[in-house]
Amino acid sequence: YSAQGVREARRLLRQALAIDPQYAPAWAYLGMTDTIDIGLKLTGEWDASRSGEMLAHAQRAIALQPDLTAAYVALSQAHGLTGDLDAALAAAQQCFKLSPNDAGCFYVLGATQLRMGHTKDAVRNLAQAMDRNPLAPAFLPAFYATALWADRQLEEALRVSTECLAKAPDFSRCRVDRIAALFELGRTDEARDEAARLVSLVPTMTARQFAAGFADGASALRERRAAAAQQVGLPLGAEPRK
């Protein structure tokens, strides 16, 4: 989760496609790379104006190999980033239909359910993703920690977010979950210390950004998260553009 890592991933994937433009996995993982870059603003070279390219890469993978589960993971992530959660859920469900024991399918299904406010379903499916991936990449415990926090399993959310930071110390989402859990456990001083570390990594962080990602139907989760952020010293920030 760094600009250097994203640039290198994109370079290698484009190298693969130069060798074989019909290689569906490269298109799928290129779509995932684009989604990460836009969502986390890592390189500054990709933003929401390029969302069409991100979606096109995932769709190209599906056109080339309709049974490729990674392509539906990429498509679900891409739709989730654009805010089309119904499409994200449909892609996740298709992934699950193709491969009902795949960690990636459990991940995108749980991540989308989380954003829609279906916290218990999200916890269950993200736990299944974790169980199937004992060497889980950082994004899995990050979303799992958020789901545990949303379901008010605060001690578990704290444990998982701490493990996530051990894997990826610069991954801001893990620190956000740790702050939210610490605050709601009454460990306010620790939460404020973590908030200071977060701001050192993301100087533009606001309470609204801290609480971003939840659908309008899950506004209670968004408000709860924003309130915690303000209490540990983050400014509210401007309303997001519609």
Side-chain angles (χ1 to χ4, degrees), residues 91-163:
Q93 289 169 333
Q94 180 62 21
C95 183
F96 195 75
K97 181 179 178 181
L98 288 169
S99 186
N101 201 36
D102 188 289
C105 300
F106 275 109
Y107 156 63
V108 288
L109 183 59
T112 305
Q113 290 168 331
L114 171 62
R115 296 188 62 191
M116 298 174 91
H118 307 318
T119 57
K120 294 196 181 300
D121 289 338
V123 168
R124 183 177 65 252
N125 285 314
L126 289 165
Q128 294 284 354
M130 292 282 288
D131 185 59
R132 284 159 176 75
N133 201 332
L135 298 175
F139 65 81
L140 267 183
F143 277 85
Y144 186 38
T146 307
L148 289 164
W149 167 85
D151 200 44
R152 297 191 184 275
Q153 298 184 45
L154 299 179
E155 291 285 1
E156 269 297 282
L158 180 59
R159 181 187 66 79
V160 173
S161 61
T162 301
E163 290 177 359

Side-chain angles (χ1 to χ4, degrees), residues 72-89:
Y72 289 94
V73 171
L75 185 63
S76 182
Q77 289 178 312
H79 279 307
L81 188 63
T82 66
D84 189 347
L85 295 185
D86 288 336
L89 184 61

Side-chain angles (χ1 to χ4, degrees), residues 11 17 20 34 65 85-86 119 133 136 143 158 169 176-177 188 192 202 207 225 234 239:
R11 183 188 71 78
L17 289 168
D20 183 1
D34 298 339
Q65 188 176 338
L85 295 185
D86 288 336
T119 57
N133 201 332
F143 277 85
L158 180 59
V176 165
D177 287 311
T188 308
R192 286 179 176 146
V202 188
R225 207 149 165 101
L234 294 178
E239 283 277 6

Side-chain angles (χ1 to χ4, degrees), residues 206-224:
T206 66
R208 284 200 169 102
Q209 288 174 301
F210 189 97
F214 294 105
D216 288 344
S219 60
L221 291 173
R222 190 167 59 215
E223 290 164 9
R224 180 180 147 206

Side-chain angles (χ1 to χ4, degrees), residues 172-240:
S172 59
R173 186 185 182 104
C174 304
R175 204 166 296 279
V176 165
D177 287 311
R178 183 169 163 76
I179 292 165
L182 282 168
F183 175 76
E184 292 191 356
L185 285 166
R187 295 163 61 175
T188 308
D189 289 343
E190 291 174 78
R192 286 179 176 146
D193 288 344
E194 285 287 6
R197 294 186 187 98
L198 176 63
V199 171
S200 72
L201 290 169
V202 188
T204 59
M205 179 63 68
T206 66
R208 284 200 169 102
Q209 288 174 301
F210 189 97
F214 294 105
D216 288 344
S219 60
L221 291 173
R222 190 167 59 215
E223 290 164 9
R224 180 180 147 206
R225 207 149 165 101
Q230 287 184 276
Q231 288 294 318
V232 298
L234 294 178
L236 179 60
E239 283 277 6

